[in-house]
Amino acid sequence: MVDTNLFVRFERYDTVDLLRRAVAEYDITLHIPPRVYEELTPDFHPYDVPPVKRAIEDGWVEVTDEVDYSNPVVSATMDMVRKYIATADERPEHEIEQADAALGGVTATLLEHGTAESVAIYTNDIPAFRGLERALSEHGYESHVQLVKAFEFAQTIEDRYQFSE
């Protein structure tokens, strides 16, 4: 599961192609919630085609389905993520980005439906991840989520592929 900040980091350094190479090498597909997709495709952007749209067209990124808010594990996870971030950042819950809660909701959905045995969360938003981790632990999924620090991951990818043929 990929948060906005991973793609933004690769876009900022014009190295999205290196991310594509790494994903292809490991034959994986990155998943993003619809809210993250919205953040990555603003009405005004400096690209003819935003990199995430090209990645979707090329098949190495997929936008997940909207979450089912009626599922109590999903809604509780999303609520807890918002509350945890609000407490950690000392700001009102209504100011928390919807994409952060959506990341938790999609992760909960994947685990609840058995679509995934575990989920790696690529983000630099530690409070969002910790809230997600805490919420999912209340539902028995504490060992099923892993944090991958987005910027460290990006640096590793760039170091590995930047000058390789």
Side-chain angles (χ1 to χ4, degrees):
M1 193 63 48
V2 177
D3 196 3
T4 305
N5 53 36
L6 178 70
F7 247 92
V8 169
R9 167 59 174 73
F10 278 101
E11 288 175 9
R12 184 172 294 137
Y13 291 94
D14 197 28
T15 55
V16 174
D17 193 50
L18 299 179
L19 177 60
R20 180 199 52 76
R21 286 177 62 192
V23 168
E25 181 177 325
Y26 290 99
D27 194 29
I28 60 174
T29 303
L30 301 177
H31 298 274
I32 60 173
R35 297 271 184 179
V36 169
Y37 177 79
E38 289 171 17
E39 288 183 355
L40 292 171
T41 56
D43 291 334
F44 301 100
H45 47 79
Y47 313 101
D48 290 334
V49 177
V52 73
K53 281 189 176 182
R54 182 155 290 128
I56 292 166
E57 290 168 4
D58 292 346
W60 57 275
V61 170
E62 290 181 4
V63 179
T64 65
D65 293 333
E66 287 288 345
V67 296
D68 177 9
Y69 298 102
S70 66
N71 179 317
V73 172
V74 171
S75 58
T77 299
M78 293 177 73
D79 288 344
M80 187 171 275
V81 168
R82 274 192 300 274
K83 288 177 184 171
Y84 192 92
I85 295 170
T87 300
D89 291 350
E90 298 179 354
R91 58 186 168 138
E93 262 185 71
H94 70 274
E95 291 181 9
I96 305 304
E97 295 176 27
Q98 294 296 320
D100 291 332
L103 200 63
V106 171
T107 301
T109 299
L110 292 172
L111 295 171
E112 269 290 283
H113 291 164
T115 308
E117 290 181 26
S118 64
V119 178
I121 309 294
Y122 292 77
T123 187
N124 253 32
D125 189 335
I126 303 304
F129 177 78
R130 294 293 175 232
L132 187 153
E133 184 178 48
R134 178 170 281 164
L136 292 174
S137 71
E138 290 188 9
H139 300 285
Y141 296 118
E142 60 273 355
S143 62
H144 299 270
V145 291
Q146 174 189 358
L147 170 64
V148 178
K149 293 183 179 177
F151 294 170
E152 289 176 15
F153 173 74
Q155 189 63 54
T156 299
I157 296 300
E158 289 169 354
D159 290 347
R160 178 168 182 188
Y161 294 100
Q162 190 93 36
F163 302 107
S164 64
E165 298 276 334

